Amino acid sequence: TINCNDWISTLSTGTKEKVSDALSNIGKWALNNNFENLSLYGRLLYELVKILNKDDDDDILIPCIVAIKNIASKQRVNDILRDLGTLKRLKDLSDTRYQNVALIEEISYAMSHLQKCIPFQVRDFCFGFDKEKFYYNVILRLKQLEYNKVGVAWRVWDGGVIVSRWIYNNKVLFTNKTVLELGAGCGLCGLVASLYAKRVVLTDVFDEVIQTIKENVQMNASVIPKSSVYVS
């Protein structure tokens, strides 16, 4: 069994050699992990991004980016990595460290994985990161579809992520209100609103999209007040 706490401790306080070894081991481990337990891995992701942001030593940066690349290849926690500013930092590094071919190659792979969106993927969306306790206050898990089946409603778009975060940060506007979402797609914004609203109605056109919204409501039943969410 992997002890993430040992890795977290090493990444935070270890010597350069120990940090480099830990990053290499994390990169190998990530290839065989599906990142189901976000409460366990959230702190590890945070520490990886901290190293990415503060370190300019190639001996640390390259294994760090490889670890992030391998984690991102699983697609499960990419929204968390993006939320922590990983893409911006990788882009900045690619603009300033272009002389290092090995570094640029790993950056390009990592960015490609982070920007990819896979049909029928289940994605995790996290809200309210507590930097002292290292956990998210709310984690919602949403299933997506495929473009050829339902058109633009197939996935959660970045615009929907932005709106959902705005809803989360302005919860007073939705508390005890009735909310109607037209063209809900996968349902992210409406599900976030349902955390505070008295009643939320999620609507869309295609039967398959509506069925997916119902599945997403059920998938998050332990988080949202299911009795207040209606799908039509």
Side-chain angles (χ1 to χ4, degrees), residues 5-224:
N5 289 328
D6 289 344
W7 278 340
I8 290 166
S9 176
T10 300
L11 296 180
S12 301
T13 61
T15 63
K16 174 183 172 180
E17 290 74 16
K18 288 185 176 181
V19 169
S20 180
D21 286 344
L23 290 169
S24 296
N25 289 329
I26 292 168
K28 296 172 185 175
W29 164 80
L31 291 173
N32 299 306
N33 191 286
N34 290 321
F35 295 90
E36 293 282 349
N37 190 343
L38 286 181
S39 62
L40 178 61
Y41 304 134
R43 172 73 186 276
L44 181 62
L45 297 176
Y46 180 75
E47 292 297 334
L48 284 173
V49 177
K50 271 179 62 178
I51 289 176
L52 181 70
N53 283 324
K54 75 177 183 180
D55 215 300
D56 288 320
D57 188 328
D58 288 352
D59 292 336
I60 299 296
L61 272 180
I62 290 179
C64 181
I65 293 169
V66 169
I68 290 172
K69 174 193 73 175
N70 291 347
I71 292 170
S73 71
K74 298 307 179 69
Q75 299 291 315
R76 195 58 180 267
V77 294
N78 285 2
D79 290 284
I80 300 173
L81 288 170
R82 285 194 288 260
D83 191 36
L84 292 172
T86 308
L87 266 176
K88 182 180 185 305
R89 173 59 173 162
L90 291 173
K91 177 64 167 59
D92 290 344
L93 284 171
S94 69
D95 290 340
T96 58
R97 304 292 292 278
Y98 51 85
Q99 306 95 331
N100 188 325
V101 176
L103 184 68
I104 292 299
E105 184 176 27
E106 297 299 347
I107 287 174
S108 66
Y109 281 123
M111 291 181 68
S112 175
H113 287 314
L114 283 167
Q115 292 171 322
K116 190 182 297 182
C117 192
I118 299 176
F120 302 111
Q121 173 191 1
V122 174
R123 293 169 64 185
D124 291 318
F125 299 89
C126 303
F127 303 85
F129 184 65
D130 188 320
K131 291 184 178 181
E132 292 186 2
K133 297 180 180 178
F134 297 99
Y135 73 89
Y136 287 89
N137 294 320
V138 176
I139 300 174
L140 296 176
R141 182 163 288 178
L142 274 76
K143 172 188 172 184
Q144 299 185 140
L145 292 167
E146 184 180 40
Y147 179 81
N148 291 337
K149 290 182 175 291
V150 294
V152 295
W154 78 276
R155 61 167 290 187
V156 178
W157 296 95
D158 289 346
V161 177
I162 292 170
V163 173
S164 67
R165 298 199 185 288
W166 181 84
I167 294 171
Y168 181 82
N169 292 324
N170 293 273
K171 51 182 69 77
V172 67
L173 299 177
F174 299 88
T175 301
N176 295 323
K177 301 292 179 60
T178 296
V179 177
L180 169 65
E181 183 176 11
L182 303 175
C186 298
L188 177 62
C189 294
L191 291 181
V192 175
S194 74
L195 297 171
Y196 318 108
K198 179 174 65 177
R199 181 185 184 194
V200 173
V201 180
L202 305 176
T203 68
D204 215 295
V205 176
F206 300 106
D207 291 341
E208 191 161 358
V209 175
I210 292 172
Q211 179 58 37
T212 300
I213 297 173
K214 290 178 179 178
E215 292 175 13
N216 286 337
V217 171
Q218 182 61 41
M219 196 183 307
N220 293 282
S222 64
V223 181
I224 63 173

